[in-house]
C-alpha cells in the first residue's frame, strides 16, 4: 500500500509557504493604503471647499457691513466721528486686501480674526450690536 501524503510542489519549499500569510497581509495593506489615499484626497477636497465657502461667507458679511456703513457716512458725514471713520477705513482696507485666490503664504484665518476684531471696535464706536453669527441651514419641512 502506498501512503497518500500531501507533498508541496517540487519548486516550493516550506519556508516560502510560511511566508504566504505575511505576503497576503502586505498586499492587503498596500491595497488598503492606495484606496484610502484616493478616498481621503476626495474627502479632503470636499472639506476644503466647505471651509472656504464658510470663510467666504464671513468675509462677505464684513464687506457688506463696511459698504452699508460707508453709504451711511456719505449721507450723514456729521454722525460719525473721525476715530470711527479711521477704524472703518481700516476695516475696509482689511476686506479689500483679503486675497480672492488660494495664497499659501497668507494666513487667511489670522486676517479673518483681524477683521472680526476690527468689526467689534467699529460696532462699539457706532453703538450697534453687529457680529457674524453662524446659523445652521434650515431643514426642509413638508
Amino acid at each position: 500500500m502506498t501512503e497518500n501524503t500531501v507533498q508541496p510542489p517540487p519548486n516550493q519549499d516550506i519556508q516560502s509557504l510560511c511566508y504566504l500569510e505575511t505576503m497576503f497581509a502586505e498586499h492587503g495593506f498596500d491595497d488598503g493604503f492606495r484606496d484610502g489615499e484616493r478616498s481621503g484626497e476626495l474627502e479632503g477636497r470636499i472639506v476644503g471647499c466647505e471651509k472656504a465657502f464658510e470663510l467666504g461667507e464671513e468675509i462677505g458679511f464684513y464687506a457688506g457691513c463696511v459698504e452699508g456703513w460707508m453709504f451711511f457716512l456719505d449721507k450723514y458725514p456729521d454722525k460719525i466721528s473721525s476715530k470711527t471713520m479711521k477704524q472703518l477705513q481700516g476695516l475696509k482696507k482689511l476686506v479689500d486686501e483679503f486675497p480672492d485666490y488660494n495664497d499659501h503664504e497668507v494666513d487667511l484665518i489670522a486676517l479673518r480674526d483681524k477683521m472680526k476684531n476690527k468689526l467689534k471696535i467699529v460696532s462699539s464706536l457706532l453703538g450697534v450690536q453687529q457680529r457674524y453669527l453662524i446659523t445652521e441651514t434650515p431643514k426642509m419641512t413638508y
Side-chain angles (χ1 to χ4, degrees):
M1 275 181 134
T2 62
E3 292 183 23
N4 290 340
T5 59
V6 178
Q7 297 288 327
N11 58 353
Q12 287 188 348
D13 58 350
I14 298 294
Q15 188 176 11
S16 67
L17 291 175
C18 292
Y19 180 69
L20 191 63
E21 181 180 358
T22 306
M23 183 180 68
F24 282 129
E26 288 174 358
H27 284 299
F29 176 82
D30 292 341
D31 290 344
F33 189 83
R34 183 191 65 240
D35 294 344
E37 274 185 322
R38 286 183 191 152
S39 66
E41 181 180 352
L42 177 62
E43 185 178 339
R45 286 179 188 228
I46 291 169
V47 170
C49 287
E50 290 172 355
K51 293 300 174 186
F53 181 79
E54 291 171 6
L55 184 63
E57 270 185 326
E58 190 169 351
I59 302 307
F61 172 78
Y62 299 143
C65 289
V66 167
E67 186 177 326
W69 289 330
M70 292 299 240
F71 179 77
F72 179 77
L73 176 66
D74 289 342
K75 292 262 187 202
Y76 307 100
D78 57 329
K79 299 284 185 186
I80 297 179
S81 69
S82 61
K83 182 178 180 182
T84 305
M85 182 59 189
K86 182 179 175 185
Q87 293 295 330
L88 187 57
Q89 287 173 342
L91 179 58
K92 182 175 180 2
K93 182 180 176 190
L94 286 173
V95 169
D96 290 342
E97 290 177 352
F98 194 84
D100 55 354
Y101 56 92
N102 194 9
D103 188 358
H104 296 288
E105 296 178 8
V106 176
D107 188 2
L108 300 177
I109 304 303
L111 284 175
R112 186 222 34 210
D113 290 343
K114 285 181 183 179
M115 283 185 228
K116 187 184 295 186
N117 292 333
K118 191 67 81 167
L119 179 77
K120 288 178 184 178
I121 293 169
V122 171
S123 297
S124 174
L125 290 171
L126 289 172
V128 296
Q129 292 183 352
Q130 192 74 45
R131 62 182 182 178
Y132 179 72
L133 297 175
I134 301 171
T135 58
E136 188 173 325
T137 56
K139 305 273 190 271
M140 291 181 64
T141 58
Y142 296 96

